Amino acid sequence: MKKLFFGAIVLVAGLFSTAKAQIQEGNWMVGSSILTSNFGLNTGGGYQIGLEPKAAYFIKDNVALGGMINLNFLKTGKGEATQFKYGVGALGRYYISPGEAGVDNLLNHGRWFFEGNAGIGGTSIENGNSTTGFVYGVGPGYSYFITPNIGVEGLVKYNGEAGFGNTPYSSNITFNVGFSIYLPTSHAKRIANEVK
């Protein structure tokens, strides 16, 4: 019990470490988008509820690679069928450094980033056709750090689906709200060793 308590203290201390260290090489980012608004480009807009858990490892400062899962319910309008969207794939993020390309940090507590993903996914329509195929997305976002290692994020993303079923291609623009936790690898290793 003492080891678990000590491990929890080390984890909390890691979450409140310096803000400059969260997006450095060797750290991890885990999080999820939880609220999404959908602006349809060829199918109409609507609301979307779901989870998009993601995890990425910083291969160098400001650059993270990892994976994500997409599980969403989409309603495009009154009287329209409910859709279930799903997918799994690779994820990449690039965080813009302060002053880079003339971009400054909002309130000095966050970072702009670009996110891209690609993988396999599809859409299942209530009492209708289903499509599975190649899915991708790209767009800018902003992470506002409420603590040095926890960020609340907004992300505007263009999403495309090139299906192999009844719908050959569809696309939309989404606005996503979520969060991410940035974990230094050294703290994760220290916690694992303390628990042992």
Side-chain angles (χ1 to χ4, degrees):
M1 184 68 171
K2 188 188 255 187
K3 289 181 179 181
L4 286 175
F5 180 71
F6 182 72
I9 290 173
V10 171
L11 176 62
V12 170
L15 293 177
F16 291 96
S17 62
T18 63
K20 294 178 182 177
Q22 72 263 36
I23 56 176
Q24 288 182 346
E25 181 178 344
N27 290 349
W28 284 90
M29 183 231 20
V30 292
S32 180
S33 294
I34 50 178
L35 298 173
T36 303
S37 293
N38 177 27
F39 307 99
L41 298 178
N42 57 352
T43 58
Y47 65 88
Q48 195 166 320
I49 299 171
L51 291 174
E52 292 183 4
K54 52 188 83 171
Y57 179 77
F58 285 88
I59 59 169
K60 64 180 196 173
D61 291 358
N62 301 328
V63 178
L65 297 176
M68 66 181 290
I69 299 171
N70 181 6
L71 302 169
N72 286 290
F73 286 96
L74 171 66
K75 187 76 169 178
T76 57
K78 188 175 181 180
E80 296 291 323
T82 302
Q83 300 177 25
F84 174 64
K85 290 187 168 280
Y86 55 90
V88 62
L91 166 79
R93 273 195 182 183
Y94 174 73
Y95 290 80
I96 299 173
S97 297
E100 184 177 342
V103 175
D104 290 324
N105 286 325
L106 181 66
L107 304 176
N108 296 321
H109 291 289
R111 295 293 284 270
W112 293 98
F113 63 86
F114 288 101
E115 180 177 294
N117 66 281
I120 301 295
T123 303
S124 178
I125 301 173
E126 178 184 23
N127 300 321
N129 298 323
S130 298
T131 299
T132 301
F134 176 72
V135 293
Y136 65 93
V138 63
Y142 186 79
S143 187
Y144 181 80
F145 295 102
I146 55 176
T147 74
N149 293 77
I150 300 175
V152 176
E153 298 182 344
L155 174 64
V156 177
K157 210 169 190 183
Y158 173 84
N159 298 290
E161 181 179 321
F164 305 130
N166 299 306
T167 306
Y169 186 80
S170 65
S171 61
N172 62 18
I173 295 175
T174 58
F175 176 71
N176 307 286
V177 177
F179 69 94
S180 287
I181 300 172
Y182 299 83
L183 299 171
T185 301
S186 60
H187 289 294
K189 287 180 181 176
R190 188 182 319 162
I191 291 168
N193 289 335
E194 292 298 327
V195 170
K196 287 179 184 176

